[in-house]
């Protein structure tokens, strides 16, 4: 059966409609993917860690037992913000706020308030400190095989040996060496998406 001129003119318009439909489908898929990324950007990952432990704190050459306690916010795998306190001599010897980075080791610096027992009574003043710690994951076990996937676990825990020198009302630097056990909770988002996984 031979096609007339009208049938031939309909053929290209059908191909054109098919091409349009394909373009619309690709555009919808792309907009959906972009929307997913925007939705994720509006819900960034947020992890909280809380811990306590035991430390030795040296002030003016005298070592005393200390109890550190700390709450850490991790909005990104390499950024840290902490609030903490160190109890010694039956009181808070050092309360602080700290900003840091995690690059295999945790490095930070912060300011706070400190007190120190003198012969004339307790002296209090503002403080400055630096921090270095080595987080060692203990849960989940898969963390060591795939750290990025481990970050997306709801709960995980780590041991944190650390060193924190601080300057304040005490003479010279107060040296604090200790270890904390910290439990970490993923409150929202996923780190893998943020990193690109």
């Amino acid at each position: 059966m031979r096609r007339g001129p009208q049938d031939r003119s309909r053929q290209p318009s059908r191909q054109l409609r098919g091409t349009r439909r394909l373009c619309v489908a690709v555009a919808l898929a792309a907009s959906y993917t972009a929307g997913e990324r925007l939705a994720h950007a509006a819900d960034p990952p947020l992890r909280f860690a809380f811990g306590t432990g035991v430390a030795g704190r040296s002030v003016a050459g005298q070592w005393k037992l200390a109890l550190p306690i700390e709450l850490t916010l991790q909005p990104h795998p390499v950024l840290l913000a902490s609030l903490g306190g160190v109890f010694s001599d039956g009181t808070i010897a050092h309360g602080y706020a700290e900003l840091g980075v995690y690059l295999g080791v945790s490095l930070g610096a912060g300011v706070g308030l400190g007190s120190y027992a003198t012969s004339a009574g307790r002296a209090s003043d503002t403080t400055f400190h630096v921090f270095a710690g080595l987080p060692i994951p203990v849960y989940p076990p898969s963390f060591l095989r795939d750290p990025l996937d481990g970050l997306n676990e709801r709960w995980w825990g780590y041991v944190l040996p650390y060193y924190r020198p601080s300057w304040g009302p005490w003479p010279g630097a107060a040296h604090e060496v200790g270890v904390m056990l910290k439990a970490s909770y993923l409150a929202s988002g996923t780190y893998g998406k943020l990193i690109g996984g």
Side-chain angles (χ1 to χ4, degrees):
M1 181 176 185
R2 287 183 79 180
R3 292 184 182 171
Q6 253 184 344
D7 290 336
R8 285 193 192 121
S9 66
R10 282 184 193 156
Q11 181 98 12
S13 68
R14 284 185 189 149
Q15 289 176 347
L16 187 59
R17 277 197 297 262
T19 304
R20 283 185 196 150
R21 286 182 186 146
L22 180 62
C23 289
V24 167
V26 169
L28 286 174
S31 65
Y32 176 76
T33 302
E36 282 285 293
R37 291 192 179 272
L38 286 173
H40 176 72
D43 184 26
L46 185 60
R47 184 175 279 284
F48 293 95
F50 177 77
T52 187
V54 65
R57 191 164 185 270
S58 170
V59 177
Q62 293 186 347
W63 284 92
K64 293 191 176 177
L65 187 65
L67 173 71
I69 189 167
E70 188 172 81
L71 174 66
T72 300
L73 171 68
Q74 188 174 12
H76 186 280
V78 298
L79 302 178
L80 307 166
S82 299
L83 291 174
V86 181
F87 294 85
S88 187
D89 287 336
T91 187
I92 298 179
H94 185 203
Y96 60 86
E98 179 182 281
L99 294 176
V101 293
Y102 171 69
L103 304 169
V105 296
S106 294
L107 301 171
V111 295
L113 292 171
S115 67
Y116 168 65
T118 68
S119 55
R122 290 200 78 81
S124 298
D125 204 347
T126 56
T127 64
F128 171 76
H129 75 271
V130 293
F131 177 89
L134 179 63
I136 303 168
V138 293
Y139 180 85
S142 63
F143 191 90
L144 293 175
R145 289 193 313 273
D146 188 354
L148 294 183
D149 187 55
L151 282 175
N152 292 323
E153 290 284 340
R154 185 67 61 189
W155 286 98
W156 53 277
Y158 57 97
V159 175
L160 179 66
Y162 72 92
Y163 170 60
R164 178 174 26 232
S166 57
W167 296 264
W170 39 81
H175 300 277
E176 184 184 334
V177 180
V179 62
M180 283 190 277
L181 179 61
K182 299 187 87 169
S184 178
Y185 175 73
L186 181 63
S188 69
T190 57
Y191 288 89
K193 294 277 186 189
L194 185 71
I195 296 165

